[in-house]
Coordinates of all heavy atoms in Angstrom, one line a residue:
R1 N 0.8 -1.2 0.0 CA 0.0 0.0 0.0 C 0.9 1.3 0.0 O 0.6 2.2 -0.7 CB -0.9 0.0 1.2 CG -2.1 -0.9 1.1 CD -3.2 -0.7 2.1 NE -2.6 -0.9 3.5 CZ -2.6 -2.1 4.1 NH1 -3.0 -3.1 3.5 NH2 -2.1 -2.1 5.3
A2 N 1.9 1.2 0.8 CA 2.8 2.4 0.8 C 3.5 2.6 -0.6 O 3.6 3.8 -1.0 CB 3.9 2.2 1.9
L3 N 3.9 1.5 -1.2 CA 4.5 1.7 -2.5 C 3.5 2.1 -3.6 O 3.8 2.9 -4.5 CB 5.1 0.3 -3.0 CG 6.3 -0.2 -2.3 CD1 6.7 -1.6 -2.7 CD2 7.5 0.8 -2.5
Q4 N 2.3 1.7 -3.4 CA 1.2 2.1 -4.4 C 0.9 3.6 -4.4 O 0.4 4.1 -5.3 CB -0.1 1.3 -4.2 CG 0.1 -0.1 -4.6 CD -1.1 -1.0 -4.2 OE1 -1.8 -0.7 -3.2 NE2 -1.3 -2.1 -4.9
K5 N 1.3 4.3 -3.3 CA 1.2 5.8 -3.3 C 2.1 6.4 -4.4 O 1.9 7.4 -4.9 CB 1.5 6.3 -1.9 CG 0.4 5.9 -0.9 CD 0.8 6.4 0.4 CE -0.3 6.0 1.4 NZ 0.0 6.4 2.8
L6 N 3.3 5.7 -4.6 CA 4.2 6.2 -5.6 C 4.0 5.5 -7.0 O 4.2 6.2 -8.0 CB 5.7 5.9 -5.1 CG 6.0 6.5 -3.8 CD1 7.4 6.0 -3.3 CD2 6.1 8.0 -3.9
V7 N 3.7 4.2 -7.0 CA 3.6 3.5 -8.2 C 2.2 2.7 -8.1 O 2.2 1.6 -7.6 CB 4.7 2.5 -8.4 CG1 4.6 1.8 -9.8 CG2 6.1 3.2 -8.4
P8 N 1.1 3.3 -8.5 CA -0.2 2.7 -8.3 C -0.3 1.3 -8.9 O -1.1 0.4 -8.4 CB -1.2 3.6 -8.9 CG -0.4 5.0 -8.9 CD 1.0 4.6 -9.1
E9 N 0.4 1.0 -9.9 CA 0.2 -0.3 -10.6 C 0.9 -1.5 -9.9 O 0.7 -2.6 -10.3 CB 0.8 -0.2 -12.1 CG 0.2 0.8 -12.9 CD 0.8 2.2 -12.7 OE1 1.8 2.4 -12.1 OE2 0.1 3.2 -13.1
I10 N 1.7 -1.2 -8.9 CA 2.5 -2.3 -8.3 C 1.6 -3.2 -7.5 O 0.6 -2.7 -6.9 CB 3.6 -1.7 -7.4 CG1 4.7 -2.8 -7.2 CG2 3.1 -1.2 -6.1 CD1 6.1 -2.2 -6.9
A11 N 1.9 -4.5 -7.5 CA 1.0 -5.4 -6.7 C 1.9 -6.2 -5.8 O 3.2 -6.3 -6.0 CB 0.4 -6.4 -7.7
A12 N 1.4 -6.8 -4.8 CA 2.1 -7.6 -3.8 C 2.9 -8.7 -4.5 O 4.0 -9.1 -4.2 CB 1.2 -8.2 -2.8
S13 N 2.3 -9.3 -5.6 CA 3.0 -10.3 -6.4 C 4.3 -9.9 -7.1 O 5.1 -10.7 -7.5 CB 2.0 -11.0 -7.4 OG 1.6 -10.0 -8.3
D14 N 4.4 -8.5 -7.2 CA 5.6 -8.0 -7.8 C 6.8 -7.9 -6.9 O 7.9 -7.7 -7.3 CB 5.4 -6.6 -8.3 CG 4.3 -6.5 -9.4 OD1 4.3 -7.4 -10.3 OD2 3.5 -5.5 -9.4
L15 N 6.5 -8.1 -5.6 CA 7.5 -7.9 -4.6 C 8.1 -9.2 -4.0 O 7.4 -10.2 -3.9 CB 6.9 -7.1 -3.4 CG 6.2 -5.8 -3.8 CD1 5.6 -5.2 -2.5 CD2 7.2 -4.9 -4.4
Q16 N 9.4 -9.2 -3.8 CA 10.1 -10.4 -3.2 C 10.9 -9.9 -2.0 O 11.4 -8.9 -2.0 CB 11.0 -11.0 -4.2 CG 10.3 -11.6 -5.4 CD 11.3 -12.2 -6.4 OE1 12.5 -12.4 -6.1 NE2 10.8 -12.5 -7.6
P17 N 10.9 -10.8 -1.0 CA 11.7 -10.4 0.2 C 13.2 -10.2 -0.1 O 13.7 -10.9 -1.0 CB 11.5 -11.6 1.2 CG 10.3 -12.3 0.6 CD 10.2 -12.1 -0.8
A18 N 13.8 -9.3 0.5 CA 15.2 -9.0 0.3 C 15.7 -8.4 1.6 O 15.0 -8.0 2.5 CB 15.4 -8.1 -0.9
G19 N 17.0 -8.2 1.6 CA 17.6 -7.5 2.8 C 17.3 -6.0 2.8 O 16.9 -5.4 1.8
A20 N 17.4 -5.5 4.0 CA 17.1 -4.0 4.1 C 18.4 -3.2 4.2 O 19.4 -3.7 4.7 CB 16.3 -3.8 5.4
G21 N 18.3 -2.0 3.7 CA 19.4 -1.1 3.8 C 19.3 -0.3 5.0 O 18.3 -0.3 5.7
V22 N 20.3 0.5 5.3 CA 20.4 1.4 6.4 C 20.5 2.8 5.9 O 21.4 3.1 5.0 CB 21.5 1.1 7.4 CG1 21.6 2.2 8.5 CG2 21.4 -0.3 8.0
R23 N 19.6 3.7 6.2 CA 19.7 5.1 5.8 C 20.0 6.0 6.9 O 19.3 6.1 7.9 CB 18.3 5.5 5.2 CG 18.4 6.9 4.6 CD 17.0 7.3 4.2 NE 16.3 7.9 5.3 CZ 15.1 8.5 5.3 NH1 14.5 8.5 4.1 NH2 14.6 9.0 6.3
A24 N 21.2 6.6 6.8 CA 21.6 7.5 7.9 C 20.8 8.7 7.8 O 20.4 9.2 6.7 CB 23.1 7.8 7.7
Q25 N 20.4 9.3 8.9 CA 19.6 10.5 8.9 C 20.3 11.6 9.8 O 20.5 11.3 11.0 CB 18.2 10.2 9.4 CG 17.3 11.4 9.4 CD 17.1 11.9 8.0 OE1 16.6 11.2 7.1 NE2 17.4 13.2 7.7
A26 N 20.6 12.7 9.2 CA 21.2 13.8 10.0 C 20.2 14.6 10.7 O 19.1 14.8 10.3 CB 22.1 14.7 9.1
L27 N 20.6 15.1 11.9 CA 19.8 16.0 12.7 C 20.5 17.3 12.9 O 21.7 17.4 12.9 CB 19.6 15.4 14.1 CG 19.0 14.0 14.2 CD1 19.1 13.5 15.6 CD2 17.6 13.9 13.6
D28 N 19.7 18.4 13.1 CA 20.3 19.7 13.4 C 20.5 19.7 15.0 O 20.2 18.7 15.7 CB 19.5 20.8 12.9 CG 18.1 21.0 13.6 OD1 17.9 20.3 14.6 OD2 17.3 21.8 13.1
R29 N 21.1 20.8 15.5 CA 21.4 20.8 16.9 C 20.2 20.7 17.8 O 20.3 20.3 18.9 CB 22.2 22.1 17.2 CG 23.5 22.1 16.6 CD 24.3 23.3 17.0 NE 25.6 23.4 16.4 CZ 26.7 22.8 16.8 NH1 26.7 22.1 17.9 NH2 27.8 23.0 16.1
S30 N 19.0 21.1 17.3 CA 17.8 21.0 18.1 C 17.1 19.6 18.0 O 16.0 19.4 18.6 CB 16.8 22.1 17.7 OG 16.3 21.9 16.4
G31 N 17.7 18.7 17.2 CA 17.1 17.4 17.1 C 16.1 17.2 15.9 O 15.5 16.2 15.8
R32 N 15.9 18.2 15.1 CA 15.1 18.1 13.9 C 15.8 17.4 12.8 O 17.0 17.5 12.6 CB 14.6 19.5 13.4 CG 13.7 20.2 14.4 CD 13.3 21.5 13.8 NE 14.5 22.3 13.5 CZ 14.6 23.6 13.5 NH1 13.6 24.3 13.7 NH2 15.8 24.1 13.2
L33 N 15.0 16.6 12.0 CA 15.6 15.9 10.9 C 15.9 16.8 9.8 O 15.2 17.8 9.5 CB 14.5 14.8 10.4 CG 14.1 13.7 11.3 CD1 13.0 12.9 10.7 CD2 15.3 12.8 11.6
L34 N 17.1 16.6 9.2 CA 17.4 17.4 8.0 C 17.0 16.7 6.7 O 17.5 15.5 6.5 CB 19.0 17.6 8.0 CG 19.5 18.5 9.2 CD1 21.0 18.5 9.1 CD2 18.9 19.9 9.1
D35 N 16.2 17.3 5.9 CA 15.7 16.6 4.7 C 16.6 16.8 3.5 O 16.5 16.1 2.6 CB 14.3 17.2 4.4 CG 13.3 16.8 5.4 OD1 13.4 15.8 6.0 OD2 12.3 17.6 5.6
D36 N 17.5 17.8 3.6 CA 18.3 18.1 2.5 C 19.8 18.1 2.9 O 20.1 18.0 4.1 CB 18.0 19.4 1.9 CG 18.3 19.6 0.4 OD1 18.9 18.6 -0.2 OD2 17.9 20.6 -0.2
F37 N 20.7 18.2 2.0 CA 22.1 18.2 2.3 C 22.4 19.6 3.0 O 21.7 20.5 2.8 CB 23.0 18.0 1.1 CG 22.9 19.1 0.1 CD1 23.9 20.1 0.1 CD2 22.0 19.1 -0.9 CE1 23.8 21.2 -0.8 CE2 21.9 20.1 -1.8 CZ 22.8 21.2 -1.8
V38 N 23.5 19.6 3.7 CA 24.0 20.8 4.4 C 25.5 20.9 4.1 O 26.2 19.9 4.2 CB 23.8 20.6 5.9 CG1 24.3 21.8 6.6 CG2 22.3 20.4 6.2
I39 N 25.9 22.1 3.8 CA 27.3 22.4 3.6 C 27.9 23.1 4.8 O 27.3 24.1 5.2 CB 27.6 23.2 2.3 CG1 27.1 22.5 1.1 CG2 29.1 23.6 2.2 CD1 27.1 23.3 -0.2
V40 N 28.9 22.5 5.5 CA 29.4 23.0 6.7 C 30.9 23.3 6.4 O 31.6 22.5 5.9 CB 29.3 22.0 7.8 CG1 29.9 22.6 9.1 CG2 27.8 21.6 8.0
R41 N 31.3 24.5 6.8 CA 32.7 24.9 6.7 C 33.4 24.9 8.0 O 32.8 25.4 9.0 CB 32.7 26.3 6.1 CG 34.1 26.9 5.9 CD 33.9 28.4 5.5 NE 34.2 28.5 4.1 CZ 34.0 29.5 3.4 NH1 33.3 30.5 3.9 NH2 34.3 29.5 2.1
S42 N 34.6 24.4 8.1 CA 35.4 24.5 9.3 C 36.7 25.1 8.8 O 36.9 25.6 7.7 CB 35.6 23.1 9.9 OG 36.2 22.2 9.0
D43 N 37.7 25.1 9.7 CA 39.0 25.8 9.4 C 39.5 25.6 8.0 O 39.6 26.6 7.2 CB 40.1 25.4 10.4 CG 39.7 25.9 11.8 OD1 39.0 26.9 12.0 OD2 40.2 25.3 12.8
R44 N 39.9 24.4 7.6 CA 40.4 24.2 6.3 C 39.7 23.1 5.5 O 40.3 22.5 4.7 CB 41.9 23.8 6.5 CG 42.7 24.9 7.1 CD 44.2 24.5 7.3 NE 44.8 24.3 6.0 CZ 45.9 23.5 5.9 NH1 46.4 23.0 6.9 NH2 46.3 23.3 4.7
M45 N 38.4 22.9 5.9 CA 37.6 21.9 5.2 C 36.2 22.4 4.9 O 35.7 23.2 5.6 CB 37.6 20.6 6.2 CG 38.9 20.0 6.4 SD 38.7 18.6 7.5 CE 39.1 19.4 9.1
I46 N 35.7 21.7 3.9 CA 34.3 22.0 3.6 C 33.6 20.6 3.6 O 34.1 19.7 2.9 CB 34.1 22.6 2.2 CG1 34.8 24.0 2.2 CG2 32.6 22.7 1.8 CD1 34.9 24.7 0.9

């Protein structure tokens, strides 16, 4: 059902069990999720 929100034609028979990946998720200093990339500058690095 969750996939059908993106691809309505998909059916359960189209899916096969597989391993899961890990998605790292960055947070800002207040604990909010960052949805996009962030460019941070330090002394001699970007």
Side-chain angles (χ1 to χ4, degrees):
R1 284 191 301 274
L3 289 175
Q4 287 171 334
K5 292 178 182 177
L6 300 171
V7 183
E9 301 83 16
I10 204 159
S13 60
D14 297 323
L15 307 175
Q16 295 182 12
V22 176
R23 184 183 86 174
Q25 183 64 57
L27 305 171
D28 67 13
R29 291 188 186 271
S30 68
R32 291 181 306 207
L33 296 173
L34 296 175
D35 292 329
D36 206 353
F37 68 93
V38 177
I39 299 176
V40 179
R41 177 188 256 166
S42 60
D43 292 336
R44 297 180 61 203
M45 294 177 267
I46 298 171

